[in-house]
Amino acid sequence: MINSPRVCVQVQSVYIESQSSPEEERYVFAYTVTIRNLGRTQVQLLGRYWLITNGHGRETEVQGEGVVGEQPMIVPGGSFDYVSGCPLATPTGSMQGSYRMIGEDGAHRCVDLLVVLAEVVDPARALPRHDVASVPTQVESMEVCTP
């Protein structure tokens, strides 16, 4: 299996206070995804599936072709980055899902993920107001690799 595709996905999420409105139960999170191809053959990202769960257990499903309008081909040693967002009605939540990929050999692969979204500290209480806009509340980061 030396030629078997090996993919690593790194996700980093951050709470975006400037787009959030807690008094209206709106908490916005951004997440940056880096998909790296550590294999010896190219892979193509075909689609994604997310099950987004807010702090009250309410679930929303998101699925479709590609990501941010693209179905990128990722060459050996290459990577693909994108940024997207997720509004929630609660200050905590999670995104659980997967990416569907296909290798040059035509074999389909699936990379499963769990991303934690959490506003842990209210920066308005922790810092003087003029410093708040430049300080993310919390950054969550994780990485998953296929075997």
Side-chain angles (χ1 to χ4, degrees), residues 4 13 25 29 32 35 40-41 49 76 82-83 90 92 108-109 121 123-124 133 144:
S4 175
S13 66
E25 295 184 336
F29 297 85
T32 302
I35 302 168
R40 294 185 180 193
T41 60
Y49 168 81
Y82 75 95
V83 177
T90 61
T92 61
H108 287 259
R109 307 273 186 302
V121 177
V144 174

Side-chain angles (χ1 to χ4, degrees), residues 9-14 29-35 80-85 99 115 140-142:
V9 179
Q10 182 178 26
V11 181
Q12 186 173 51
S13 66
V14 64
F29 297 85
Y31 56 93
T32 302
V33 178
T34 300
I35 302 168
F80 177 77
D81 302 304
Y82 75 95
V83 177
S84 192
Y99 292 107
V115 179
E140 293 286 341
S141 183
M142 57 81 62

Side-chain angles (χ1 to χ4, degrees), residues 8-90:
C8 283
V9 179
Q10 182 178 26
V11 181
Q12 186 173 51
S13 66
V14 64
Y15 173 68
I16 307 295
E17 182 182 12
S18 63
Q19 295 180 21
S20 299
S21 180
E23 60 279 354
E24 296 174 11
E25 295 184 336
R26 179 176 167 79
Y27 300 84
V28 178
F29 297 85
Y31 56 93
T32 302
V33 178
T34 300
I35 302 168
R36 292 182 290 138
N37 180 357
L38 303 179
R40 294 185 180 193
T41 60
Q42 70 181 6
V43 295
Q44 182 177 16
L45 189 152
L46 298 177
R48 89 287 189 200
Y49 168 81
W50 290 113
L51 177 63
I52 303 166
T53 307
N54 73 19
H56 297 307
R58 182 170 180 195
E59 297 178 341
T60 304
E61 289 183 280
V62 177
Q63 58 188 331
E65 293 184 4
V67 291
V68 294
E70 297 185 50
Q71 289 184 311
M73 295 291 283
I74 307 171
V75 299
S79 65
F80 177 77
D81 302 304
Y82 75 95
V83 177
S84 192
C86 177
L88 293 177
T90 61

